[in-house]
Amino acid sequence: MPAPGDGSQTPDQDHDISPYATGTAAAATPTPTAPTAPHEPTAAHEPTAAHEPTAAHEPTGQYAAPVDPWAEGEARARASGAPLPYSMDPPTSPAPHAEPLTPADPGGATETVAVTGPRSYRKGFWILGGAALAAAVALGVTAALLLRPGFPPRDYHSLAEVARFEPIAPITSYWSDAEVIGDRAYFAGVDDQGRAGVTAVDLDSGREAWKSTAAGAAKSWARMIALPDAVVLISDPDYTTSQARLVRLDGKTGDLSWEYALGSADTVHFGAGVALVVDREHGVLHGLDLATGKERWQTANPDGAAASAILDVTTPDDLTGPAGSLGRPFAPHLSDDDQVVQIASDRSARVIDLSTGKAGKPRPDVAYTSDKMVAHHGRLFVEESGSDRLLAYDLAKLDSAEPAILYTTPKDARVDALTPCGDDRICFVETVGYAKDKTEIIAYDLKEHQEAWRRPAPGAESLVPVGDGVLALTDEASTLFDATGKARWTDVPGTAVRLDAGNVLQFSDPLSSSVGDQTLVGVHPGDDPVQLGLLRKVRSGTCAWNTSVLACVAEKDFVVTRFAG
C-alpha cells in the first residue's frame, strides 16, 4: 500500500490504499518533432525543497520534452472557449469488454506502508413471455456492463451479527484496527503499556483462531497489514531511538516470525514472499524474505541520493476485489512477477523485480519524485509538473520508447487523483484555479486516443476504481460514474466502498475512529439499492470487509457482521 512521503499513493485514515498492475502495453509512438527545451515548473507545481533538482539533475536532452501540436491546440481552445481541435465524443462503437478476471492481489500491486501514519437480497422469480422476457434479458445485460461483466449482484440481506470477540487487552482511546483477507479477519488493540494484542478469526466458521501478544510493545502502533500467510504490525518511530518496529506474526499460530528495525522515514512494500524496505537514510532498497526476515537482495538508489519515490505496479485485477475507502485492495493477489517503479531524485525511472531485486535500465528525465504518478497495466502515467502534460510510458520499453502524450492541462488548471478506471483507461480530477465547484472528472481511453467522457464532479478529491467505472469522493459524499460516464448516483452522503467490480457498499456517514452507528446500503448498479440496516456502536474507521462480511472494532470488543451470502 502506498506510503506517505515516498511519492506513492497515501493511505487514508481508515487504513486504505490504492494499488493497480503489470503486463505489457504498447505505448503509442508520437510523430517525432523538433526537440524543445523543457518547460520550467510553474509555481503551482514547484517541487518541494526535498525534491529540488540541482543543476546536475537538469534534463540531459537525451529525451526531449515531447511536443504534441494537437494537445497544445486543445489546451489553447479550452483556455479561450473556442471549439476543440478534434472531437471529444466517445467512440460510436464501444470497445469490447475484457473477459472477467478472478479478483487478485496486485500482481505487481504491492502493499506500501509508511513507518509514520495513523488509518438477503434475493431476486423475485417472474414468469415472462415473448417481448417482456427479451426486454428483461436486455436490461440484465445492460446492467451487467455498467461497471464490468461477470460481477452479478451480491446476495444482500439484513445485517446479521455473526459473533463478538473479547480483546486480549481492553479497547481504549489508543490505537486499534481490523483487517480482512479472504476468509480470515485480524483484530488488534493495545493496552496502556503499549502492548499489542492480536485476535485472528476464521470467518467461515465464525470462530476465534488464536490470540497473541507476541508482537510485544511500542510507544505507539501505526498499522496492521493482513497478508496471505501472515499479519504484519508496524509501530510509529520511537522518539528516543528514531526507529520503528516491523513485526511479522505467523497467520496460522500468531507466533512471532521475525522483526526488523525501520528508520523513521522508511517505507515498506509487500510483494509475493518479499517485503521491500525503502531505506531513506542511506538510499538503499532492501528485499527481505517474508517468511524468514532475511535479506534476499539490496540495491542502492541509481543517483546515490537518499530520496526516491516507489510506485506499486498494479493490474486490472486490482479493480475487482474488496477495497478500502481510498481504493486499497484488502486481499491483493501477490505474484512472482511483482514489480515496482522507482523514481530517483535525479528524475530517472527504472523498473525493479521484487522477487530478485533485478533492476531495468534507468530512463532519465521522467519525473520529479513529487510529480503525480501511477503505474498500472504495464504503463507509468506521469503528470509532468514542468509541462502540464499527462504522459504514458510503456514499462516494457521504458528505456527506449517515447511516451504517449495523453492530455495537456489547460492554463491555471491542475490534475489530481490519477486512477485507473478500466484496462486501458486512466481517470483524473481536473480543477481550474480554486473553483472546486467546477471540478470535472475525465476518463481518457488509451486505445481510442481520446477522452472517453468528461463529467462535472464538484468538490471531488479522490477516485476509487470500480470495474470500468469510478467512485468520486468528497469528505462527506460520493458519486458513482459507470463505464459510459453516467452518474449512477450523485452526492450521496457518507462513504462508499468497493466490494467487487460490480458492487458497492454505502455507509451513511464518513468513517470515524469514534464509536457510532452507520446505516448500510448494498448497491449493484442497474438494480434497486438494498437497505441492509443499522450497524451499531462500531469504530467505523477500523472496519474492513470482504464481499459478504464486515469486521469492526466496537466500543469494548470486536464484532463480525454478515450482510450478504
Side-chain angles (χ1 to χ4, degrees), residues 78-115:
R78 290 194 185 283
S80 65
L84 294 175
Y86 56 91
S87 171
M88 301 304 293
D89 293 333
T92 55
S93 56
H97 289 264
E99 287 299 314
L101 298 173
T102 304
D105 267 270
T110 54
E111 292 241 28
T112 310
V113 181
V115 172

PDB file of all heavy atoms in Angstrom, residues 78-115:
ATOM      1  N   ARG A  78      -9.379  25.203 -24.989  1.00  0.00           N
ATOM      2  CA  ARG A  78     -10.094  25.171 -23.716  1.00  0.00           C
ATOM      3  C   ARG A  78      -9.943  26.492 -22.978  1.00  0.00           C
ATOM      4  O   ARG A  78     -10.866  26.985 -22.351  1.00  0.00           O
ATOM      5  CB  ARG A  78      -9.579  24.022 -22.848  1.00  0.00           C
ATOM      6  CG  ARG A  78      -9.966  22.662 -23.373  1.00  0.00           C
ATOM      7  CD  ARG A  78      -9.751  21.598 -22.326  1.00  0.00           C
ATOM      8  NE  ARG A  78      -9.997  20.271 -22.844  1.00  0.00           N
ATOM      9  CZ  ARG A  78     -11.185  19.749 -23.043  1.00  0.00           C
ATOM     10  NH1 ARG A  78     -12.267  20.470 -22.784  1.00  0.00           N
ATOM     11  NH2 ARG A  78     -11.330  18.526 -23.534  1.00  0.00           N
ATOM     12  N   ALA A  79      -8.738  27.046 -23.021  1.00  0.00           N
ATOM     13  CA  ALA A  79      -8.498  28.297 -22.311  1.00  0.00           C
ATOM     14  C   ALA A  79      -9.307  29.440 -22.898  1.00  0.00           C
ATOM     15  O   ALA A  79      -9.784  30.326 -22.187  1.00  0.00           O
ATOM     16  CB  ALA A  79      -7.001  28.623 -22.342  1.00  0.00           C
ATOM     17  N   SER A  80      -9.494  29.445 -24.228  1.00  0.00           N
ATOM     18  CA  SER A  80     -10.196  30.544 -24.880  1.00  0.00           C
ATOM     19  C   SER A  80     -11.680  30.303 -25.043  1.00  0.00           C
ATOM     20  O   SER A  80     -12.431  31.209 -25.386  1.00  0.00           O
ATOM     21  CB  SER A  80      -9.583  30.785 -26.268  1.00  0.00           C
ATOM     22  OG  SER A  80      -9.803  29.651 -27.095  1.00  0.00           O
ATOM     23  N   GLY A  81     -12.110  29.076 -24.804  1.00  0.00           N
ATOM     24  CA  GLY A  81     -13.525  28.754 -25.009  1.00  0.00           C
ATOM     25  C   GLY A  81     -13.850  28.412 -26.442  1.00  0.00           C
ATOM     26  O   GLY A  81     -15.005  28.205 -26.795  1.00  0.00           O
ATOM     27  N   ALA A  82     -12.835  28.341 -27.319  1.00  0.00           N
ATOM     28  CA  ALA A  82     -13.061  28.006 -28.729  1.00  0.00           C
ATOM     29  C   ALA A  82     -13.350  26.518 -28.876  1.00  0.00           C
ATOM     30  O   ALA A  82     -13.089  25.742 -27.978  1.00  0.00           O
ATOM     31  CB  ALA A  82     -11.821  28.399 -29.540  1.00  0.00           C
ATOM     32  N   PRO A  83     -13.860  26.104 -30.030  1.00  0.00           N
ATOM     33  CA  PRO A  83     -14.112  24.673 -30.248  1.00  0.00           C
ATOM     34  C   PRO A  83     -12.822  23.870 -30.159  1.00  0.00           C
ATOM     35  O   PRO A  83     -11.748  24.352 -30.504  1.00  0.00           O
ATOM     36  CB  PRO A  83     -14.700  24.627 -31.670  1.00  0.00           C
ATOM     37  CG  PRO A  83     -15.205  26.008 -31.919  1.00  0.00           C
ATOM     38  CD  PRO A  83     -14.292  26.932 -31.162  1.00  0.00           C
ATOM     39  N   LEU A  84     -12.935  22.631 -29.709  1.00  0.00           N
ATOM     40  CA  LEU A  84     -11.766  21.765 -29.610  1.00  0.00           C
ATOM     41  C   LEU A  84     -11.266  21.412 -31.006  1.00  0.00           C
ATOM     42  O   LEU A  84     -12.046  21.304 -31.945  1.00  0.00           O
ATOM     43  CB  LEU A  84     -12.115  20.494 -28.845  1.00  0.00           C
ATOM     44  CG  LEU A  84     -12.454  20.710 -27.375  1.00  0.00           C
ATOM     45  CD1 LEU A  84     -12.897  19.389 -26.759  1.00  0.00           C
ATOM     46  CD2 LEU A  84     -11.267  21.262 -26.616  1.00  0.00           C
ATOM     47  N   PRO A  85      -9.937  21.201 -31.139  1.00  0.00           N
ATOM     48  CA  PRO A  85      -9.377  20.914 -32.457  1.00  0.00           C
ATOM     49  C   PRO A  85      -9.696  19.507 -32.957  1.00  0.00           C
ATOM     50  O   PRO A  85      -9.368  19.168 -34.068  1.00  0.00           O
ATOM     51  CB  PRO A  85      -7.862  21.071 -32.222  1.00  0.00           C
ATOM     52  CG  PRO A  85      -7.669  20.808 -30.770  1.00  0.00           C
ATOM     53  CD  PRO A  85      -8.915  21.346 -30.111  1.00  0.00           C
ATOM     54  N   TYR A  86     -10.332  18.663 -32.109  1.00  0.00           N
ATOM     55  CA  TYR A  86     -10.757  17.344 -32.577  1.00  0.00           C
ATOM     56  C   TYR A  86     -11.923  16.912 -31.722  1.00  0.00           C
ATOM     57  O   TYR A  86     -12.154  17.445 -30.647  1.00  0.00           O
ATOM     58  CB  TYR A  86      -9.612  16.337 -32.497  1.00  0.00           C
ATOM     59  CG  TYR A  86      -9.008  16.207 -31.121  1.00  0.00           C
ATOM     60  CD1 TYR A  86      -9.494  15.274 -30.219  1.00  0.00           C
ATOM     61  CD2 TYR A  86      -7.972  17.055 -30.723  1.00  0.00           C
ATOM     62  CE1 TYR A  86      -8.935  15.172 -28.956  1.00  0.00           C
ATOM     63  CE2 TYR A  86      -7.423  16.952 -29.474  1.00  0.00           C
ATOM     64  CZ  TYR A  86      -7.903  16.016 -28.587  1.00  0.00           C
ATOM     65  OH  TYR A  86      -7.373  15.909 -27.344  1.00  0.00           O
ATOM     66  N   SER A  87     -12.660  15.954 -32.208  1.00  0.00           N
ATOM     67  CA  SER A  87     -13.851  15.514 -31.496  1.00  0.00           C
ATOM     68  C   SER A  87     -13.498  14.834 -30.188  1.00  0.00           C
ATOM     69  O   SER A  87     -12.587  14.024 -30.123  1.00  0.00           O
ATOM     70  CB  SER A  87     -14.640  14.531 -32.363  1.00  0.00           C
ATOM     71  OG  SER A  87     -15.684  13.949 -31.612  1.00  0.00           O
ATOM     72  N   MET A  88     -14.217  15.175 -29.119  1.00  0.00           N
ATOM     73  CA  MET A  88     -14.022  14.520 -27.834  1.00  0.00           C
ATOM     74  C   MET A  88     -15.163  13.574 -27.527  1.00  0.00           C
ATOM     75  O   MET A  88     -15.294  13.089 -26.414  1.00  0.00           O
ATOM     76  CB  MET A  88     -13.912  15.575 -26.718  1.00  0.00           C
ATOM     77  CG  MET A  88     -12.771  16.561 -26.916  1.00  0.00           C
ATOM     78  SD  MET A  88     -11.174  15.748 -27.101  1.00  0.00           S
ATOM     79  CE  MET A  88     -10.984  15.073 -25.462  1.00  0.00           C
ATOM     80  N   ASP A  89     -16.018  13.317 -28.506  1.00  0.00           N
ATOM     81  CA  ASP A  89     -17.128  12.393 -28.267  1.00  0.00           C
ATOM     82  C   ASP A  89     -16.612  10.984 -28.079  1.00  0.00           C
ATOM     83  O   ASP A  89     -15.617  10.585 -28.676  1.00  0.00           O
ATOM     84  CB  ASP A  89     -18.107  12.411 -29.447  1.00  0.00           C
ATOM     85  CG  ASP A  89     -18.807  13.759 -29.554  1.00  0.00           C
ATOM     86  OD1 ASP A  89     -18.935  14.422 -28.516  1.00  0.00           O
ATOM     87  OD2 ASP A  89     -19.196  14.124 -30.681  1.00  0.00           O
ATOM     88  N   PRO A  90     -17.321  10.182 -27.246  1.00  0.00           N
ATOM     89  CA  PRO A  90     -16.907   8.783 -27.099  1.00  0.00           C
ATOM     90  C   PRO A  90     -17.029   8.067 -28.428  1.00  0.00           C
ATOM     91  O   PRO A  90     -17.773   8.478 -29.316  1.00  0.00           O
ATOM     92  CB  PRO A  90     -17.920   8.230 -26.076  1.00  0.00           C
ATOM     93  CG  PRO A  90     -18.503   9.431 -25.400  1.00  0.00           C
ATOM     94  CD  PRO A  90     -18.463  10.527 -26.423  1.00  0.00           C
ATOM     95  N   PRO A  91     -16.283   6.972 -28.612  1.00  0.00           N
ATOM     96  CA  PRO A  91     -16.378   6.201 -29.845  1.00  0.00           C
ATOM     97  C   PRO A  91     -17.807   5.743 -30.081  1.00  0.00           C
ATOM     98  O   PRO A  91     -18.537   5.444 -29.140  1.00  0.00           O
ATOM     99  CB  PRO A  91     -15.462   5.000 -29.579  1.00  0.00           C
ATOM    100  CG  PRO A  91     -14.607   5.391 -28.415  1.00  0.00           C
ATOM    101  CD  PRO A  91     -15.364   6.415 -27.658  1.00  0.00           C
ATOM    102  N   THR A  92     -18.209   5.703 -31.336  1.00  0.00           N
ATOM    103  CA  THR A  92     -19.586   5.285 -31.632  1.00  0.00           C
ATOM    104  C   THR A  92     -19.790   3.814 -31.358  1.00  0.00           C
ATOM    105  O   THR A  92     -20.880   3.383 -31.036  1.00  0.00           O
ATOM    106  CB  THR A  92     -19.908   5.583 -33.107  1.00  0.00           C
ATOM    107  OG1 THR A  92     -18.908   4.952 -33.925  1.00  0.00           O
ATOM    108  CG2 THR A  92     -19.874   7.077 -33.353  1.00  0.00           C
ATOM    109  N   SER A  93     -18.757   2.995 -31.512  1.00  0.00           N
ATOM    110  CA  SER A  93     -18.884   1.575 -31.195  1.00  0.00           C
ATOM    111  C   SER A  93     -17.913   1.237 -30.079  1.00  0.00           C
ATOM    112  O   SER A  93     -16.711   1.264 -30.275  1.00  0.00           O
ATOM    113  CB  SER A  93     -18.568   0.719 -32.420  1.00  0.00           C
ATOM    114  OG  SER A  93     -17.295   1.026 -32.921  1.00  0.00           O
ATOM    115  N   PRO A  94     -18.422   1.008 -28.862  1.00  0.00           N
ATOM    116  CA  PRO A  94     -17.538   0.778 -27.731  1.00  0.00           C
ATOM    117  C   PRO A  94     -16.652  -0.437 -27.941  1.00  0.00           C
ATOM    118  O   PRO A  94     -17.048  -1.405 -28.562  1.00  0.00           O
ATOM    119  CB  PRO A  94     -18.516   0.552 -26.569  1.00  0.00           C
ATOM    120  CG  PRO A  94     -19.812   0.161 -27.223  1.00  0.00           C
ATOM    121  CD  PRO A  94     -19.829   0.853 -28.541  1.00  0.00           C
ATOM    122  N   ALA A  95     -15.433  -0.321 -27.403  1.00  0.00           N
ATOM    123  CA  ALA A  95     -14.505  -1.453 -27.484  1.00  0.00           C
ATOM    124  C   ALA A  95     -15.042  -2.598 -26.654  1.00  0.00           C
ATOM    125  O   ALA A  95     -15.696  -2.382 -25.655  1.00  0.00           O
ATOM    126  CB  ALA A  95     -13.130  -1.025 -26.964  1.00  0.00           C
ATOM    127  N   PRO A  96     -14.803  -3.826 -27.092  1.00  0.00           N
ATOM    128  CA  PRO A  96     -15.309  -4.965 -26.330  1.00  0.00           C
ATOM    129  C   PRO A  96     -14.704  -5.004 -24.941  1.00  0.00           C
ATOM    130  O   PRO A  96     -13.553  -4.646 -24.750  1.00  0.00           O
ATOM    131  CB  PRO A  96     -14.856  -6.169 -27.164  1.00  0.00           C
ATOM    132  CG  PRO A  96     -13.713  -5.665 -27.974  1.00  0.00           C
ATOM    133  CD  PRO A  96     -14.021  -4.226 -28.249  1.00  0.00           C
ATOM    134  N   HIS A  97     -15.536  -5.437 -23.970  1.00  0.00           N
ATOM    135  CA  HIS A  97     -15.048  -5.553 -22.608  1.00  0.00           C
ATOM    136  C   HIS A  97     -14.165  -6.773 -22.477  1.00  0.00           C
ATOM    137  O   HIS A  97     -14.373  -7.784 -23.127  1.00  0.00           O
ATOM    138  CB  HIS A  97     -16.221  -5.686 -21.626  1.00  0.00           C
ATOM    139  CG  HIS A  97     -16.979  -4.417 -21.482  1.00  0.00           C
ATOM    140  ND1 HIS A  97     -16.740  -3.520 -20.473  1.00  0.00           N
ATOM    141  CD2 HIS A  97     -17.974  -3.879 -22.233  1.00  0.00           C
ATOM    142  CE1 HIS A  97     -17.564  -2.492 -20.585  1.00  0.00           C
ATOM    143  NE2 HIS A  97     -18.309  -2.693 -21.641  1.00  0.00           N
ATOM    144  N   ALA A  98     -13.167  -6.647 -21.604  1.00  0.00           N
ATOM    145  CA  ALA A  98     -12.292  -7.788 -21.350  1.00  0.00           C
ATOM    146  C   ALA A  98     -13.061  -8.865 -20.606  1.00  0.00           C
ATOM    147  O   ALA A  98     -14.022  -8.581 -19.916  1.00  0.00           O
ATOM    148  CB  ALA A  98     -11.091  -7.335 -20.512  1.00  0.00           C
ATOM    149  N   GLU A  99     -12.623 -10.100 -20.775  1.00  0.00           N
ATOM    150  CA  GLU A  99     -13.231 -11.183 -20.016  1.00  0.00           C
ATOM    151  C   GLU A  99     -13.008 -10.928 -18.538  1.00  0.00           C
ATOM    152  O   GLU A  99     -11.967 -10.427 -18.136  1.00  0.00           O
ATOM    153  CB  GLU A  99     -12.588 -12.521 -20.404  1.00  0.00           C
ATOM    154  CG  GLU A  99     -12.995 -13.001 -21.772  1.00  0.00           C
ATOM    155  CD  GLU A  99     -14.493 -13.222 -21.873  1.00  0.00           C
ATOM    156  OE1 GLU A  99     -15.068 -13.826 -20.969  1.00  0.00           O
ATOM    157  OE2 GLU A  99     -15.088 -12.768 -22.862  1.00  0.00           O
ATOM    158  N   PRO A 100     -13.981 -11.247 -17.698  1.00  0.00           N
ATOM    159  CA  PRO A 100     -13.802 -11.025 -16.267  1.00  0.00           C
ATOM    160  C   PRO A 100     -12.620 -11.819 -15.736  1.00  0.00           C
ATOM    161  O   PRO A 100     -12.371 -12.940 -16.149  1.00  0.00           O
ATOM    162  CB  PRO A 100     -15.119 -11.536 -15.662  1.00  0.00           C
ATOM    163  CG  PRO A 100     -15.707 -12.418 -16.697  1.00  0.00           C
ATOM    164  CD  PRO A 100     -15.262 -11.893 -18.015  1.00  0.00           C
ATOM    165  N   LEU A 101     -11.895 -11.188 -14.817  1.00  0.00           N
ATOM    166  CA  LEU A 101     -10.734 -11.837 -14.228  1.00  0.00           C
ATOM    167  C   LEU A 101     -11.012 -12.159 -12.774  1.00  0.00           C
ATOM    168  O   LEU A 101     -11.787 -11.495 -12.116  1.00  0.00           O
ATOM    169  CB  LEU A 101      -9.511 -10.894 -14.308  1.00  0.00           C
ATOM    170  CG  LEU A 101      -9.100 -10.528 -15.733  1.00  0.00           C
ATOM    171  CD1 LEU A 101      -8.011  -9.471 -15.680  1.00  0.00           C
ATOM    172  CD2 LEU A 101      -8.605 -11.753 -16.484  1.00  0.00           C
ATOM    173  N   THR A 102     -10.346 -13.184 -12.280  1.00  0.00           N
ATOM    174  CA  THR A 102     -10.507 -13.535 -10.878  1.00  0.00           C
ATOM    175  C   THR A 102      -9.909 -12.441 -10.024  1.00  0.00           C
ATOM    176  O   THR A 102      -8.820 -11.956 -10.296  1.00  0.00           O
ATOM    177  CB  THR A 102      -9.764 -14.844 -10.587  1.00  0.00           C
ATOM    178  OG1 THR A 102     -10.253 -15.827 -11.486  1.00  0.00           O
ATOM    179  CG2 THR A 102      -9.980 -15.283  -9.153  1.00  0.00           C
ATOM    180  N   PRO A 103     -10.582 -12.013  -8.928  1.00  0.00           N
ATOM    181  CA  PRO A 103     -10.019 -10.973  -8.082  1.00  0.00           C
ATOM    182  C   PRO A 103      -8.603 -11.361  -7.675  1.00  0.00           C
ATOM    183  O   PRO A 103      -8.337 -12.485  -7.329  1.00  0.00           O
ATOM    184  CB  PRO A 103     -10.962 -10.952  -6.881  1.00  0.00           C
ATOM    185  CG  PRO A 103     -12.246 -11.484  -7.422  1.00  0.00           C
ATOM    186  CD  PRO A 103     -11.873 -12.456  -8.486  1.00  0.00           C
ATOM    187  N   ALA A 104      -7.701 -10.383  -7.741  1.00  0.00           N
ATOM    188  CA  ALA A 104      -6.325 -10.727  -7.477  1.00  0.00           C
ATOM    189  C   ALA A 104      -5.640  -9.688  -6.649  1.00  0.00           C
ATOM    190  O   ALA A 104      -6.012  -8.553  -6.624  1.00  0.00           O
ATOM    191  CB  ALA A 104      -5.574 -10.872  -8.797  1.00  0.00           C
ATOM    192  N   ASP A 105      -4.574 -10.094  -5.968  1.00  0.00           N
ATOM    193  CA  ASP A 105      -3.686  -9.196  -5.298  1.00  0.00           C
ATOM    194  C   ASP A 105      -3.016  -8.421  -6.379  1.00  0.00           C
ATOM    195  O   ASP A 105      -2.819  -8.920  -7.460  1.00  0.00           O
ATOM    196  CB  ASP A 105      -2.586  -9.954  -4.604  1.00  0.00           C
ATOM    197  CG  ASP A 105      -2.949 -10.237  -3.208  1.00  0.00           C
ATOM    198  OD1 ASP A 105      -2.652  -9.433  -2.359  1.00  0.00           O
ATOM    199  OD2 ASP A 105      -3.502 -11.277  -2.995  1.00  0.00           O
ATOM    200  N   PRO A 106      -2.604  -7.245  -6.077  1.00  0.00           N
ATOM    201  CA  PRO A 106      -1.940  -6.515  -7.099  1.00  0.00           C
ATOM    202  C   PRO A 106      -0.828  -7.361  -7.624  1.00  0.00           C
ATOM    203  O   PRO A 106       0.125  -7.605  -6.955  1.00  0.00           O
ATOM    204  CB  PRO A 106      -1.401  -5.308  -6.385  1.00  0.00           C
ATOM    205  CG  PRO A 106      -1.984  -5.344  -5.039  1.00  0.00           C
ATOM    206  CD  PRO A 106      -2.670  -6.636  -4.847  1.00  0.00           C
ATOM    207  N   GLY A 107      -0.931  -7.789  -8.852  1.00  0.00           N
ATOM    208  CA  GLY A 107       0.084  -8.638  -9.418  1.00  0.00           C
ATOM    209  C   GLY A 107       1.350  -7.888  -9.537  1.00  0.00           C
ATOM    210  O   GLY A 107       2.335  -8.319  -9.863  1.00  0.00           O
ATOM    211  N   GLY A 108       1.543  -6.830  -9.300  1.00  0.00           N
ATOM    212  CA  GLY A 108       2.691  -6.045  -9.159  1.00  0.00           C
ATOM    213  C   GLY A 108       2.216  -5.120  -8.150  1.00  0.00           C
ATOM    214  O   GLY A 108       2.842  -4.267  -7.660  1.00  0.00           O
ATOM    215  N   ALA A 109       0.987  -5.316  -7.766  1.00  0.00           N
ATOM    216  CA  ALA A 109       0.384  -4.450  -6.835  1.00  0.00           C
ATOM    217  C   ALA A 109       0.877  -4.841  -5.509  1.00  0.00           C
ATOM    218  O   ALA A 109       0.416  -5.749  -4.907  1.00  0.00           O
ATOM    219  CB  ALA A 109      -1.083  -4.607  -6.883  1.00  0.00           C
ATOM    220  N   THR A 110       1.887  -4.172  -5.057  1.00  0.00           N
ATOM    221  CA  THR A 110       2.391  -4.435  -3.743  1.00  0.00           C
ATOM    222  C   THR A 110       1.682  -3.552  -2.752  1.00  0.00           C
ATOM    223  O   THR A 110       1.166  -2.510  -3.108  1.00  0.00           O
ATOM    224  CB  THR A 110       3.887  -4.115  -3.706  1.00  0.00           C
ATOM    225  OG1 THR A 110       4.050  -2.790  -4.165  1.00  0.00           O
ATOM    226  CG2 THR A 110       4.656  -5.048  -4.599  1.00  0.00           C
ATOM    227  N   GLU A 111       1.674  -3.973  -1.512  1.00  0.00           N
ATOM    228  CA  GLU A 111       1.163  -3.106  -0.460  1.00  0.00           C
ATOM    229  C   GLU A 111       2.298  -2.189  -0.053  1.00  0.00           C
ATOM    230  O   GLU A 111       3.437  -2.617   0.075  1.00  0.00           O
ATOM    231  CB  GLU A 111       0.735  -3.956   0.730  1.00  0.00           C
ATOM    232  CG  GLU A 111      -0.470  -4.810   0.418  1.00  0.00           C
ATOM    233  CD  GLU A 111      -1.623  -4.482   1.304  1.00  0.00           C
ATOM    234  OE1 GLU A 111      -1.687  -3.324   1.742  1.00  0.00           O
ATOM    235  OE2 GLU A 111      -2.431  -5.339   1.563  1.00  0.00           O
ATOM    236  N   THR A 112       2.003  -0.922   0.219  1.00  0.00           N
ATOM    237  CA  THR A 112       3.019   0.030   0.610  1.00  0.00           C
ATOM    238  C   THR A 112       2.643   0.652   1.932  1.00  0.00           C
ATOM    239  O   THR A 112       1.528   1.101   2.093  1.00  0.00           O
ATOM    240  CB  THR A 112       3.148   1.157  -0.408  1.00  0.00           C
ATOM    241  OG1 THR A 112       3.260   0.587  -1.695  1.00  0.00           O
ATOM    242  CG2 THR A 112       4.319   2.040  -0.109  1.00  0.00           C
ATOM    243  N   VAL A 113       3.554   0.694   2.867  1.00  0.00           N
ATOM    244  CA  VAL A 113       3.228   1.185   4.190  1.00  0.00           C
ATOM    245  C   VAL A 113       4.280   2.163   4.648  1.00  0.00           C
ATOM    246  O   VAL A 113       5.468   1.902   4.534  1.00  0.00           O
ATOM    247  CB  VAL A 113       3.169   0.026   5.199  1.00  0.00           C
ATOM    248  CG1 VAL A 113       2.799   0.523   6.567  1.00  0.00           C
ATOM    249  CG2 VAL A 113       2.181  -1.018   4.731  1.00  0.00           C
ATOM    250  N   ALA A 114       3.841   3.297   5.155  1.00  0.00           N
ATOM    251  CA  ALA A 114       4.775   4.253   5.724  1.00  0.00           C
ATOM    252  C   ALA A 114       5.024   3.902   7.176  1.00  0.00           C
ATOM    253  O   ALA A 114       4.164   3.391   7.860  1.00  0.00           O
ATOM    254  CB  ALA A 114       4.214   5.663   5.635  1.00  0.00           C
ATOM    255  N   VAL A 115       6.210   4.211   7.662  1.00  0.00           N
ATOM    256  CA  VAL A 115       6.504   3.980   9.063  1.00  0.00           C
ATOM    257  C   VAL A 115       5.635   4.877   9.913  1.00  0.00           C
ATOM    258  O   VAL A 115       5.075   4.469  10.914  1.00  0.00           O
ATOM    259  CB  VAL A 115       7.996   4.241   9.350  1.00  0.00           C
ATOM    260  CG1 VAL A 115       8.278   4.188  10.826  1.00  0.00           C
ATOM    261  CG2 VAL A 115       8.832   3.210   8.618  1.00  0.00           C
TER     262      VAL A 115
END
